Amino acid sequence: MAEGSDTTLTIDEKSQPAGLAGSIRSFAAGHGGAKAVVEYVGKRGARIVLVGDDGEWADQFASDTKTARQACETAGVEVENEWERELMEQMRPSNDLWRSMGRRMMAR
């Protein structure tokens, strides 16, 4: 990950889906609830983007979309079918993320 990023991308094969569900449940509990969007990312598997009710967000990786959806269901986190406007407006990117995005644009 780039320096200044506030997200972590992890795949832990031995702990899926039980460990993944626990991690998702923990995030939701720490942020007043959460919603998830599952994105297919090819051979790498599936990315689970979690958006807390307080606007904080994080992501996790699963081996496939079925495992990702199962982990979210086990954790009691609702999975959105796509990025809805309301969900995107709820997200609060950190200042570090804004700075890193600015550096990428300036580098082009």
Side-chain angles (χ1 to χ4, degrees), residues 13 20 47 51:
E13 296 295 333
L20 185 57
R47 178 182 184 202
V51 181

Side-chain angles (χ1 to χ4, degrees), residues 11-46:
I11 298 178
D12 188 0
E13 296 295 333
K14 64 182 177 289
S15 63
Q16 287 188 2
L20 185 57
S23 179
I24 293 168
R25 187 180 301 114
S26 175
F27 177 85
H31 297 280
K35 290 186 179 180
V37 176
V38 175
E39 302 172 334
Y40 174 70
V41 290
K43 291 181 180 181
R44 291 189 64 188

Side-chain angles (χ1 to χ4, degrees), residues 46-62:
R47 178 182 184 202
I48 306 166
V49 181
L50 300 165
V51 181
D53 288 348
D54 62 357
E56 293 294 319
W57 63 280
D59 57 1
Q60 295 282 327
F61 264 77

Side-chain angles (χ1 to χ4, degrees), residues 82-94:
E82 59 185 34
W83 285 104
E84 297 289 337
R85 179 179 176 178
E86 293 80 14
L87 187 60
M88 291 183 71
E89 287 176 349
Q90 184 177 337
M91 292 177 75
R92 287 184 302 146
S94 70

Side-chain angles (χ1 to χ4, degrees), residues 67-85:
T67 302
R69 289 182 179 280
Q70 180 184 7
C72 289
E73 182 180 327
T74 301
V77 171
E78 179 183 350
V79 177
E80 297 287 330
N81 289 326
E82 59 185 34
W83 285 104
E84 297 289 337
R85 179 179 176 178

